[in-house]
Amino acid sequence: MNVPVSLTVNGKTVEAIVDPRMLLVQFIREQLRLTGTHVGCDTAQCGSCTVHLNGRAVKSCSMLVLQAQGGEVTTIEGLAQGEELHPMQAAFRECHGLQCGFCTPGMVMSAVQLLKDKPDATEQEIREGLDGNICRCTGYHNIVKSVQLCQSGKVTVTA
Ligand code: FES
Ligand code: FES
């Protein structure tokens, strides 16, 4: 039997009737059509499905949408402020912290969380903090540089 769900996504309230087995990532991608959140493994290993739920990074393939009931979700589409990129997005752009871009939304969402928890993270701590996110293009050096640039605050955020 389908059930109602209500949550806030990128500042907007969304309500739907869903299969109680629906994953949060399915809801985001298939119901809301916010396809910036990717599915790379479906087994909580790659991190490409990372979003923020109530201010914490979560792997949206490893939880049900009903577990986000009443919560506040931010996806990669909700990070920028109008024409102004989030500093982490701008840093990835400036440092070429991506190749094919598949891992990038999840990587950015995790990196935002990382610096929120540890603004002065060392290079080693950045590497360890992102170990739940896999880049199949193996562009880790520039990803770390991107996080460090964001950390420095010397990044241009205008599109
Ligand atoms: S799709 Fe969620 S961790 Fe890979
Ligand atoms: S940029 Fe291709 S998977 Fe990371």
Side-chain angles (χ1 to χ4, degrees):
M1 194 177 73
N2 289 349
V3 292
V5 67
S6 171
L7 59 157
T8 305
V9 179
N10 299 335
K12 289 188 192 142
T13 302
V14 291
E15 294 177 340
I17 306 293
V18 298
D19 183 324
R21 296 167 298 178
M22 181 177 263
L23 297 171
L24 178 58
V25 71
Q26 287 177 300
F27 184 75
I28 290 168
R29 287 179 56 83
E30 296 166 23
Q31 195 99 12
L32 304 181
R33 302 284 176 195
L34 293 171
T35 52
T37 302
H38 293 162
V39 178
C41 68
D42 235 349
T43 50
Q45 294 176 70
C46 75
S48 60
C49 63
T50 305
V51 300
H52 294 173
L53 171 61
N54 298 327
R56 301 297 304 169
V58 296
K59 290 181 176 178
S60 60
C61 74
S62 61
M63 60 183 296
L64 301 169
V65 64
L66 289 181
Q67 293 176 284
Q69 181 80 270
E72 288 194 22
V73 172
T74 304
T75 69
I76 191 71
E77 290 90 347
L79 268 194
Q81 300 290 320
E83 292 296 299
E84 200 164 288
L85 293 175
H86 185 284
M88 190 63 75
Q89 292 174 303
F92 269 69
R93 177 180 64 178
E94 203 164 318
C95 293
H96 305 289
L98 63 143
Q99 291 174 61
C100 78
F102 191 86
C103 71
T104 313
M107 205 62 90
V108 168
M109 298 308 281
S110 292
V112 169
Q113 177 79 64
L114 193 158
L115 289 192
K116 193 167 146 193
D117 290 344
K118 206 162 183 51
D120 56 351
T122 62
E123 178 180 342
Q124 185 59 30
E125 286 168 334
I126 292 170
R127 290 183 183 276
E128 287 169 8
L130 293 178
D131 72 358
N133 290 72
I134 294 171
C135 175
R136 292 180 299 184
C137 300
T138 68
Y140 294 106
H141 284 307
N142 282 7
I143 289 169
V144 172
K145 277 189 201 160
S146 304
V147 179
Q148 288 176 314
L149 177 63
C150 183
Q151 196 175 32
S152 75
K154 295 175 187 158
V155 63
T156 309
V157 293
T158 44

